[in-house]
Amino acid sequence: MPARETLIALRQRFGSAIERADLAGEGRLHLFVERASLGAVCRHLALDLGARFITTIGADDRPYSGRFLVVHNFAFDREHWIASVATQPPADDPRVESICGAVPAAAWAEREMRDLVGIVPEGHRYLKRLVLPDGWPDGVHPLRKDVAWNFSPPGFDEGREFGFGEPPEGCIVVPFGPFHPTLDEPAHFRLYVEGEQVRGCEYRGFMAHRGIEKLAESVMTYNEIPLLAERICGICGCVHSVAYVQAVESAAALQPPPRAEYLRTIMLEIERLQSHLLAVGLACHIVGFDTLFMQCFRIREPVMRVAEEITGNRKTYALCVVGGVRWDIGAALRAKLLGVLERLEAEWRAVADAVGGDRNLRRRTVGVGIAGPALARDTALVGPVARAAGVAIDCRRDHPYGAYARVDFNVVTADGGDAWSRLVVRMTEVFESIRIIRQCLAQMEDGPLGLGIPDELPVGRWGLSSVEAPRGESHHFVITGEGNRPRRWRVRAPTYQNLQGVPAMIKDQQLADMTISLGSIDPCFSCTDRLETVDLRSGAARTWSQPELERLARAAARRLTP
Amino acid sequence: MSLLAKFQEMMVGLRAGRVTLPYPDQPAPAPAGFRGRPVFDAARCIGCAACANNCPAREILVVDVCQEIRILQYLGRRCTYCGRCADLCPEKAITMSREFETATDRIGDIGQRLELFMSTCQRCGRCFREPSALERLQMKGYRFDDLESERWIFRSQSYLPGAAQTQDVPIELD
Amino acid sequence: MTDGLLRAAVGVPLNAAAALLVAPLFQGAMRRLTAIVQSRRGPPIRQAYFDLLKLLGKEDIESGESGVMQRFAAYLAFACTLALTSLVPMGFPAPLGAGADAVALIYLLTLAGMCTLLAGLAAGSTYSLLGVSREMMAMVALEPLFVVALVVGALHRRSLRLDAVFGGSVYDVGGFPWSGLVMLAVMALSFQAFVQRAPFDIAEAETELMDGPLMEYSGPKLALFKYAQMVRLVVHAALFVAIFAPWGSGLGAPLGWLLFWAKVSLLVLLVALVAATHARYRIDQAIRYFAGLLAAAAVALALAACGH
């Protein structure tokens, strides 16, 4: 059912509980509901209408409306629109009903809302700290507007520890991370292992926050933020910068020129190529197959070089400004790009054929880290993880942006839901990306690269954008603000959602499969940990001597290993 | 034992030959269009400070020694080579060079300092036309960034009236 | 008597020196071959020597649960492999071959394997203990295969003495050497596991267990372990050639000696090639594989007992 009809049906069902509705065009519906009915409306959307949960956003709107703001975003993928269900808790009573019972996928987003904005989701089944460090004092919520971006709270308690649960009967605790060869990023999976089988796990992450959202709201400006956004992730930077500027353009009703849209699409697909080639190589490395790892990286190298020639850098393209792009692809670069694609396609075809018949590799990946369609729906998994489980969602087709509506491509799915299926999905998507880039290069016409923006952007407007990153849907939400910067910017990266499915994926599997299960969701922790960090030390500098550091490291290692 | 697949995979590698380069024994220059270290041309610079105002890393500092002399200091330590300064410079005084081998153990090596003799505008010192409303010069008048501790002093936001300002120096605006 | 003593006095240090000299060379050659398959240049062939020298020059730290056991395990590993070199023919008959029998060889090999277990226990961390348990499972499944190989040869020659068992004893039957060929196939298929290279480098899986039993080792003690591992590769290869591919050993020196080392080199390069093109197996998959090989070995034993 399209958005307008759904709105009418919702009005009939919920009546005056819906205070205000905004059909903002381009498949966007913004609903403002009474606080008491938030849970009911969300349950109706998720369970009765089958919407997919995207994320929850908490915001401190007190300087403007005197109240807080809670927004739940849902996607109607087959009908091509996104609904935002919002409510405004009063400033003296920041509580809302948790929707976790009906929408288990909202578990992390609500915990984050509680940590950073101080809005309590009542009825949440696991309300431990998610984002803030263990020693952070209670009652200080960094994303509130009365907390400065560089505020160091007094009363940071170094001795306070995260309260992990008890391991189940007969299990030993195997700490996985934050230091582990395969896990290049800091996170802690506390595995409960019986013999060689993993029986359960607890996750503690968010160890490397950078305060990106707070920086954007306090000190950056609209056109500086894309440069910050592309550093959210070490591989999919372009995705975040495109998603951000698209959200701002959607809020300010700006339409970038067609050539800019084609260029954004081309660079996004180039990024998908290099990300998938890396992911396949990394999966092989994790199972000890270094030769294929080297070959994947060798085949990937020309893609990096051509990106460097187009944008000036192998990975941080610095591509977007609000209203357009900064780099162009002239005739020479176009020819070079086509040559690279041709060679890539031939070599990748050879590798894909060889890997398809490789029983040795299949033995390590088939039946490992299974995420079936039920888990994919409950935890709202996205990207190749969902598509490998047979759930055919892809933002490029479901919520088209850039030039995707003008090109032809397939959404690749598989059936197994295991690490092997994800590998196959990624390998096949490489060919689809090559197809898309060729079509864009053929269709692209000459024209301006950006808009002339005559006035400052309007204030208080909502914009959102869902972009298909190589790992899944990357969702950005922006509320425009004063001072040439947004009032609120929320980033929900795909790994943020996919990590929530990992405990179920590794349960009752072998310990040796832990790394490939984790590696097969192609995790990008830097996408996940981009929220809040404030200088913890009070600014006083202290140099540590080597014996002191050694003592500290040894004590920490002893605490981690039982 | 999937021997054929293994053989095919091996042939993929052998057909490609040895592709690693003996860098740094042999130089590996960056391609044309590479965004390397920015180079400031003092002869062209008009001291408008568009670069300083729009640097996302806050690595360009500006100080007005007196009414006629303005110092523009590029620190270069946290510079991400994004190229916004080069985009916005109205006189094309900034070029993104192709240098990327900028490691050094002396922090002063990377910095560039421009001492500019300014012709004065009686009112505001404005001298550049921004490409879009989003780059509009937010701050007018004199600039007093802290060169000694290499700190960019910018306008801070107090979101609620009466809140204390921490670690920022309030600046007077026009 | 004195002839034997003289042979031992000269042969033992000579064998040990040869093994020590040649083992890092083989390691370097393996790394070079792996690099070529991976489209890289790879390190120079002398690199293994440099690595060992570098490790020996580092600070000697004790860490883990038991520093004494950590040290002991390293020394024992090196000593065992050196002792093995005097029991293994390397182009010339083994210097102590006349005085030792197959049981001593098996004991020494098992002891060398135990050293890894000791090392893991000395570290005492969760990951190293996991490595220890995997290594133990692998040893339990693998050692019997080698024992059966030796016993088949011993059955044919009616003697457990080493100089009787080496030199093609497995094929030494009246008719078609069924048991010998079956054991050849079994040992060839499990050789990769004996030398702990992919796909059977499970105990020290870097990407899963952070090097398992050896994770607390650094500096000179790590050098000893690494050297011991390199020498073990040479020893295993020499044993394989001596037992299963002895053709041409009758030729006089230096031809017989050259032929022997050519065969060993070929085997080592084959190991490198297989290691470069395979993903690592999980321990349960590996155990199932070894169990299949064990069944075949039992068949070979039965055949040997019946005189085939």
Side-chain angles (χ1 to χ4, degrees):
Chain A
M1 246 197 320
R4 180 177 290 275
E5 269 134 61
T6 313
L7 175 59
I8 295 172
L10 286 172
R11 266 252 158 75
Q12 283 174 349
R13 186 190 173 103
F14 291 102
S16 61
I18 300 184
E19 294 168 353
R20 205 170 88 227
D22 245 327
L23 266 177
E26 302 162 33
R28 306 275 184 261
L29 170 65
H30 302 310
L31 276 178
F32 288 80
V33 303
E34 277 177 2
R35 183 160 62 145
S37 317
L38 181 68
V41 174
C42 289
R43 264 193 296 279
H44 179 68
L45 285 182
L47 300 177
D48 301 333
L49 300 183
R52 174 175 62 87
F53 173 78
I54 303 179
T55 194
T56 298
I57 301 140
D60 182 2
D61 211 40
R62 289 175 304 172
Y64 314 106
S65 67
R67 307 169 80 90
F68 284 97
L69 178 67
V70 174
V71 188
H72 295 289
N73 283 355
F74 290 90
F76 288 86
D77 294 309
R78 271 185 300 272
E79 294 88 0
H80 310 296
W81 59 279
I82 297 180
S84 300
V85 183
T87 191
Q88 293 185 289
D92 55 359
D93 186 27
R95 293 173 305 121
V96 285
E97 185 190 344
S98 163
I99 61 169
C100 250
V103 186
W108 277 22
E110 289 191 334
R111 280 165 75 186
E112 179 174 324
M113 180 173 75
R114 199 280 305 258
D115 272 2
L116 296 179
V117 192
I119 302 172
V120 178
E122 293 186 319
H124 194 288
R125 56 164 187 234
Y126 187 84
L127 205 54
K128 290 191 189 174
R129 277 214 173 142
L130 180 73
V131 168
L132 291 176
D134 304 323
W136 190 270
D138 293 319
V140 180
H141 301 285
L143 275 182
R144 287 197 176 177
K145 295 298 188 186
D146 49 355
V147 176
W149 66 278
N150 52 359
F151 175 60
S152 295
F156 183 84
D157 181 6
E158 278 203 33
R160 184 160 158 191
E161 291 196 354
F162 186 81
F164 283 109
E166 282 300 310
E169 279 281 323
C171 290
I172 58 165
V173 173
V174 176
F176 189 79
F179 300 111
H180 194 274
T182 350
L183 196 67
D184 333 82
E185 315 194 35
H188 181 68
F189 290 88
R190 192 178 167 85
L191 303 176
Y192 301 126
V193 174
E194 190 183 359
E196 277 264 343
Q197 305 256 333
V198 176
R199 294 288 173 222
C201 99
E202 266 196 87
Y203 175 80
R204 180 61 169 137
F206 294 88
M207 297 167 184
H209 280 182
R210 293 162 289 165
I212 288 178
E213 290 183 1
K214 187 73 177 179
L215 277 177
E217 294 168 23
S218 323
V219 297
M220 306 289 281
T221 60
Y222 278 122
N223 270 346
E224 289 171 347
I225 294 174
L227 299 164
L228 185 61
E230 72 178 358
R231 285 164 174 80
I232 291 176
C233 180
I235 302 179
C236 54
C238 192
V239 163
H240 285 294
S241 85
V242 168
Y244 161 77
V245 295
Q246 283 182 171
V248 173
E249 285 160 6
S250 159
L254 295 167
Q255 172 74 21
R259 193 173 174 89
E261 292 185 318
Y262 276 111
L263 284 166
R264 284 179 186 173
T265 308
I266 292 173
M267 293 318 296
L268 282 173
E269 290 305 306
I270 287 181
E271 191 176 66
R272 189 181 319 276
L273 281 177
Q274 57 97 347
S275 174
H276 279 339
L277 290 170
L278 183 147
V280 172
L282 200 61
C284 292
H285 170 69
I286 291 174
V287 293
F289 196 179
D290 276 339
T291 299
L292 212 52
F293 163 67
M294 296 285 177
Q295 294 305 324
C296 286
F297 270 69
R298 177 187 59 79
I299 297 173
R300 174 182 179 258
E301 184 64 15
V303 177
M304 306 301 280
R305 297 237 171 112
V306 84
E308 191 179 49
E309 293 193 38
I310 297 174
T311 63
N313 194 286
R314 287 162 65 96
K315 178 262 160 188
T316 35
Y317 302 156
L319 179 71
C320 297
V321 283
V322 173
V325 295
R326 292 168 71 202
W327 320 118
D328 198 3
I329 297 182
L333 279 175
R334 183 173 181 279
K336 189 164 255 176
L337 180 55
L338 286 170
V340 164
L341 291 178
E342 205 179 309
R343 184 134 190 264
L344 173 66
E345 194 174 24
E347 288 202 290
W348 196 243
R349 183 82 54 195
V351 169
D353 285 343
V355 168
D358 192 337
R359 284 202 348 235
N360 168 240
L361 196 56
R362 284 174 77 123
R363 282 251 185 84
R364 281 308 300 273
T365 48
V366 170
V368 168
I370 296 190
L375 180 69
R377 289 213 175 84
D378 281 340
T379 334
L381 301 179
V382 289
V385 180
R387 292 198 281 278
V391 178
I393 49 172
D394 187 331
C395 295
R396 297 175 288 172
R397 181 198 57 188
D398 301 331
H399 310 283
Y401 53 93
Y404 285 105
R406 288 164 256 179
V407 297
D408 218 358
F409 62 97
N410 296 327
V411 171
V412 180
T413 57
D415 276 323
D418 53 15
W420 172 252
S421 305
R422 288 172 214 143
L423 207 66
V424 168
V425 165
R426 288 194 183 103
M427 285 198 295
T428 321
E429 281 186 358
V430 167
F431 298 113
E432 292 301 318
S433 291
I434 296 177
R435 229 175 115 198
I436 295 174
I437 299 177
R438 285 189 179 138
Q439 290 175 71
C440 286
L441 286 174
Q443 291 176 14
M444 193 162 71
E445 280 170 7
D446 288 331
L449 292 181
L451 289 177
I453 300 180
D455 295 309
E456 292 193 17
L457 301 185
V459 165
R461 300 270 182 85
W462 287 20
L464 47 89
S465 172
S466 269
V467 168
E468 185 72 15
R471 285 156 191 75
E473 174 198 39
S474 195
H475 183 84
H476 285 230
F477 174 85
V478 162
I479 304 180
T480 56
E482 299 87 2
N484 201 17
R485 62 175 61 92
R487 230 181 240 178
R488 179 77 173 98
W489 177 40
R490 171 85 162 96
V491 178
R492 202 277 336 246
T495 301
Y496 187 90
Q497 206 57 42
N498 287 343
L499 270 177
Q500 296 180 56
V502 165
M505 278 192 245
I506 60 173
K507 191 160 188 286
D508 295 331
Q509 298 251 322
Q510 299 251 353
L511 181 62
D513 293 331
M514 166 70 191
T515 42
I516 183 63
S517 300
L518 190 61
S520 71
I521 70 168
D522 196 11
C524 185
F525 288 87
S526 44
C527 269
T528 319
D529 303 352
R530 78 272 129 329
L531 283 180
E532 189 53 63
T533 191
V534 176
D535 186 15
L536 297 176
R537 310 279 172 240
S538 57
R542 190 206 154 145
T543 36
W544 294 79
S545 68
Q546 200 216 6
E548 286 174 315
L549 275 175
E550 267 183 354
R551 229 182 308 124
L552 214 59
R554 293 215 173 106
R558 242 172 263 128
R559 255 183 290 135
L560 275 181
T561 61
Chain B
M1 268 264 286
S2 59
L3 271 175
L4 181 64
K6 293 301 177 189
F7 182 71
Q8 283 172 329
E9 284 159 8
M10 201 171 68
M11 286 316 291
V12 164
L14 292 176
R15 241 180 287 142
R18 327 261 279 271
V19 298
T20 47
L21 300 172
Y23 177 82
D25 294 333
Q26 262 173 43
F34 179 74
R35 259 182 293 128
R37 189 173 74 96
V39 174
F40 290 73
D41 185 353
R44 288 191 172 186
C45 175
I46 55 174
C48 68
C51 54
N53 287 343
N54 288 284
C55 172
R58 315 291 190 239
E59 283 292 286
I60 307 177
L61 306 182
V62 179
V63 162
D64 291 322
V65 173
C66 63
Q67 197 173 8
E68 278 122 5
I69 301 184
R70 170 168 271 195
I71 297 181
L72 203 91
Q73 175 108 8
Y74 164 74
L75 298 172
R77 307 155 309 178
R78 296 180 314 184
C79 174
T80 61
Y81 301 171
C82 70
R84 287 285 287 159
C85 52
D87 281 356
L88 294 169
C89 178
E91 299 298 313
K92 298 284 164 262
I94 307 177
T95 352
M96 301 304 286
S97 68
R98 290 207 252 162
E99 291 168 36
F100 61 95
E101 289 154 326
T102 50
T104 173
D105 53 1
R106 275 197 329 228
I107 204 165
D109 280 351
I110 320 177
Q112 295 167 60
R113 184 190 173 95
L114 284 70
E115 292 179 7
L116 306 155
F117 188 83
M118 305 286 283
S119 75
T120 53
C121 162
Q122 295 288 329
R123 283 193 63 196
C124 71
R126 275 186 81 167
C127 47
F128 105 115
R129 204 172 122 263
E130 63 277 357
S132 84
L134 302 184
E135 276 90 27
R136 193 162 288 160
L137 218 81
Q138 301 283 357
M139 297 195 304
K140 307 163 195 172
Y142 294 117
R143 290 286 299 272
F144 295 108
D145 288 334
D146 188 350
L147 282 187
E148 264 182 30
S149 31
E150 294 181 332
R151 205 161 62 91
W152 204 77
I153 298 176
F154 54 92
R155 181 177 63 183
S156 71
Q157 281 280 34
S158 305
Y159 293 98
L160 297 176
Q165 305 217 2
T166 49
Q167 293 184 2
D168 274 3
V169 174
I171 311 173
E172 287 186 6
L173 299 179
D174 200 16
Chain C
M1 191 58 191
T2 38
D3 182 49
L5 207 60
L6 192 64
R7 245 184 42 172
V10 170
V12 168
L14 212 65
N15 259 28
L20 285 179
L21 212 63
V22 142
L25 199 66
F26 277 138
Q27 174 86 343
M30 285 174 76
R31 284 168 79 170
R32 244 313 156 73
L33 184 63
T34 312
I36 292 176
V37 171
Q38 294 180 355
S39 302
R40 294 184 286 123
R41 265 163 230 280
I45 299 195
R46 318 184 293 280
Q47 188 61 36
Y49 296 104
F50 294 150
D51 289 345
L52 289 171
L53 280 172
K54 179 191 78 169
L55 283 174
L56 285 170
K58 289 201 168 192
E59 187 189 345
D60 196 9
I61 324 174
E62 277 182 14
S63 57
E65 283 283 325
S66 164
V68 168
M69 179 128 85
Q70 189 188 39
R71 203 172 280 282
F72 179 62
Y75 294 160
L76 189 62
F78 194 62
C80 273
T81 37
L82 277 188
L84 275 171
T85 59
S86 27
L87 290 184
V88 171
M90 295 202 181
F92 301 107
L96 293 181
D101 64 7
V103 182
L105 182 64
I106 295 169
Y107 274 174
L108 270 179
L109 278 172
T110 314
L111 192 57
M114 293 292 243
C115 294
T116 324
L117 299 180
L118 282 178
L121 288 171
S125 80
T126 325
Y127 280 103
S128 72
L129 290 174
L130 277 169
V132 163
S133 86
R134 289 183 184 187
E135 176 78 8
M136 248 193 294
M137 285 194 266
M139 274 180 69
V140 163
L142 273 180
E143 294 300 323
L145 289 176
F146 188 67
V147 170
V148 170
L150 287 178
V151 167
V152 162
L155 274 177
H156 289 161
R157 290 267 172 87
R158 301 269 181 269
S159 158
L160 272 178
R161 280 215 351 245
L162 273 183
D163 52 1
V165 170
F166 292 153
S169 60
V170 287
Y171 307 122
D172 197 10
V173 290
F176 195 74
W178 286 111
S179 55
L181 287 175
V182 170
M183 277 323 292
L184 172 64
V186 163
M187 285 305 287
L189 288 174
S190 63
F191 191 72
Q192 206 75 6
F194 276 105
V195 295
Q196 291 177 321
R197 296 284 196 276
F200 298 111
D201 58 342
I202 305 172
E204 336 101 21
E206 175 240 325
T207 53
E208 294 167 24
L209 291 184
M210 297 185 278
D211 224 28
L214 292 187
M215 75 189 295
E216 289 287 342
Y217 279 83
S218 62
K221 290 199 283 300
L222 184 62
L224 286 179
F225 252 112
K226 288 246 174 274
Y227 218 157
Q229 280 174 348
M230 292 183 209
V231 174
R232 266 180 83 182
L233 173 67
V234 177
V235 162
H236 276 286
L239 278 174
F240 186 89
V241 168
I243 300 177
F244 291 100
W247 311 295
S249 60
L251 298 169
L255 210 59
W257 183 83
L258 279 172
L259 196 61
F260 178 87
W261 282 107
K263 285 186 275 187
V264 169
S265 310
L266 197 65
L267 188 56
V268 164
L269 291 180
L270 214 64
V271 165
L273 211 60
V274 172
T277 50
H278 279 78
R280 189 185 309 121
Y281 279 125
R282 250 190 354 236
I283 187 69
D284 61 321
Q285 295 168 333
I287 300 287
R288 252 173 285 153
Y289 178 75
F290 297 150
L293 290 179
L294 214 57
V299 167
L301 196 58
L303 284 173
C306 302
H308 292 294

